[in-house]
Amino acid sequence: MKPWWIYQGPGSRAERLERLSDSLPPWRRFTGTQDPGYRPPTSGAAWEETRRRGLGYVPDDSGTDVVNTALYLRRPLLVTGKPGVGKSTLAYSIAADLGLGPVLRWPITSRTAVRDGLYQYDALGRLHDANLRQPAAEARGPSSLRAARSRRAGRASSGAASIAPYLRLGPLGTALLPQEQPRVLLIDEIDKGDLDLPGDLLTVFEEGSFEIPELARAAAHHPRIRIGTQDDPTPHVRVERGQVQCGTFPIVILTSNGERDFPPPFLRRCIRLHIEPPEKEKLEEIVRRRLDVSPTEEPCSDLIQEFLDRQADGDLATDQLLNAIQLRLSGAWSDPADSGRLLDIAMQQLTGSPRQ
């Protein structure tokens, strides 16, 4: 534990968050004003899941140095490494350690665009609801039909009033809301995205803001509209004139399995961390934290050693070791004659030639 650390550092959570606020670089100051009626969730299933996953993570000193460097500089952290080494779990560990609320996870696919992370607009849902209201008004008679048409005309003139219930901020958009403390945003497997995605993210990362055109067009009539977030779809957070501007830049964790390279301008704006597969001592600590058992006793010690031996022939993920230990602790595959079969099933290599 080093005195300058914020994540995994000395002092209370409040003291460490105060160090984070006091260390703000001049080039990462943003001007968003927090909605006094909005607070991110501090309890519930999503927060409990973040705590559960985060508290089982075992960081090492070199990795913790890099994480804290990214925190001080308010730069995205690009985490690389083989599948199963804990890249995604690091985001949950940061959120749990600093008490920053549920992780906002944005999984990336080949079809993902920046707008998908910023906000979603359910245009089909809006059209469907409008079509349902028309027959109901017709059934109630001419006066109801005229009233319905009048309401539609009013909504058309205001624009945002009818659109707002069908808008919801995505994980990136929610992370950029002006808040007292930064949220943790996990952009998972960014190397699976379109080639243009990293470049498109640069503008958002540099400016810490974005526009919702559907609300900006109606801002003259309705400058303040409440919409849903990634945490809660009900309209509860205020957006002014269709603009979202962060006050505190979020803690952004981007993971990559190394399937492709990224452009230099993107890499220049990231702090990079490469996670190596855990060695025996770290595996023992992971087993102790995640399964609450002694890693030096049976069946853990033999399975840990077998995991390390098989890892020399091809990649394995840490959760495969946890799966094998959990099976044995549950009483499955208890016959010594079945041990080889258990290992072949639970520890199938992810790369390399299968062990004969």
Side-chain angles (χ1 to χ4, degrees):
M1 186 180 296
K2 301 180 181 180
W4 65 276
W5 282 357
I6 297 169
Y7 165 66
Q8 299 290 328
S12 68
R13 184 175 290 168
E15 291 171 338
R16 290 182 287 142
L17 289 174
E18 185 176 359
R19 288 205 301 274
L20 179 63
S21 299
D22 292 344
S23 66
L24 184 65
W27 60 87
R28 301 301 281 167
R29 298 183 187 276
F30 300 98
T31 59
T33 302
Q34 184 177 359
D35 175 4
Y38 169 71
R39 291 289 185 275
T42 56
S43 61
W47 173 232
E48 290 304 317
E49 175 66 9
T50 292
R51 291 185 70 256
R52 184 191 66 80
R53 294 189 61 176
L55 295 177
Y57 186 77
V58 181
D60 52 41
D61 285 358
S62 60
T64 305
D65 281 340
V66 178
V67 171
N68 281 287
T69 298
L71 293 182
Y72 273 95
L73 296 178
R74 304 301 199 276
R75 290 295 185 186
L77 180 67
L78 177 60
V79 186
T80 58
K82 295 178 179 179
V85 295
K87 300 185 297 295
S88 300
T89 310
L90 173 60
Y92 293 88
S93 177
I94 295 171
D97 182 65
L98 296 176
L100 298 177
V103 168
L104 298 164
R105 181 174 177 265
W106 183 19
I108 303 300
T109 71
S110 60
R111 298 177 298 278
T112 299
V114 168
R115 176 178 153 166
D116 301 325
L118 294 174
Y119 72 98
Q120 297 95 41
Y121 170 40
D122 186 9
L124 290 178
R126 184 185 179 207
L127 179 62
H128 176 72
D129 289 349
N131 290 337
L132 288 178
R133 286 191 292 267
Q134 174 77 12
E138 292 174 349
R140 289 193 295 268
S143 61
S144 295
L145 184 58
R146 285 193 298 270
R149 288 171 178 168
S150 176
R151 286 194 298 271
R152 283 200 302 274
R155 284 193 296 267
S157 65
S158 66
S162 61
I163 291 175
Y166 304 96
L167 282 167
R168 180 181 182 182
L169 294 177
L172 175 56
T174 302
L176 289 172
L177 284 171
Q179 302 169 61
E180 183 178 356
Q181 301 295 346
R183 293 292 297 274
V184 177
L185 170 67
L186 170 61
I187 304 179
D188 215 4
E189 299 188 330
I190 190 173
D191 51 331
K192 290 185 176 179
D194 183 86
L195 290 174
D196 294 331
L197 181 61
D200 293 341
L201 283 170
L202 288 182
T203 300
V204 179
F205 286 163
E206 289 301 302
E207 296 181 359
S209 65
F210 67 97
E211 179 183 83
I212 302 176
E214 292 84 352
L215 296 183
R217 286 194 293 266
H221 297 287
H222 288 267
R224 296 179 181 85
I225 294 294
R226 292 194 178 275
I227 63 175
T229 65
Q230 181 72 13
D231 298 309
D232 184 355
T234 59
H236 66 287
V237 65
R238 186 181 66 200
V239 175
E240 297 197 19
R241 310 193 72 83
Q243 302 289 327
V244 175
Q245 169 71 69
C246 74
T248 301
F249 192 73
I251 298 172
V252 181
I253 310 298
L254 308 106
T255 70
S256 169
N257 292 324
E259 294 183 4
R260 66 176 177 86
D261 296 327
F262 298 103
F266 178 77
L267 294 176
R268 180 173 66 85
R269 290 167 172 85
C270 294
I271 302 298
R272 285 177 275 176
L273 169 64
H274 184 77
I275 300 180
E276 295 288 350
E279 297 181 349
K280 183 175 182 179
E281 182 177 349
K282 188 171 181 177
L283 284 174
E284 290 177 344
E285 182 60 25
I286 292 172
V287 169
R288 181 181 291 108
R289 290 196 188 187
R290 296 292 296 274
L291 300 178
D292 194 26
V293 295
S294 171
T296 59
E297 298 178 1
E298 295 297 335
C300 301
S301 58
D302 286 350
L303 289 174
I304 290 173
Q305 187 58 53
E306 185 65 33
F307 178 85
L308 292 168
D309 293 342
R310 287 175 173 248
Q311 205 171 43
D313 298 330
D315 292 339
L316 293 173
T318 306
D319 59 354
Q320 292 175 288
L321 170 62
L322 297 176
N323 290 340
I325 293 176
Q326 180 62 36
L327 282 169
R328 288 290 301 275
L329 292 175
S330 300
W333 299 93
S334 55
D335 190 332
D338 291 335
S339 61
R341 180 66 174 150
L342 162 66
L343 297 173
D344 290 339
I345 292 174
M347 298 187 188
Q348 295 184 37
Q349 294 163 2
L350 306 177
T351 61
S353 301
R355 174 176 283 207
Q356 301 297 322

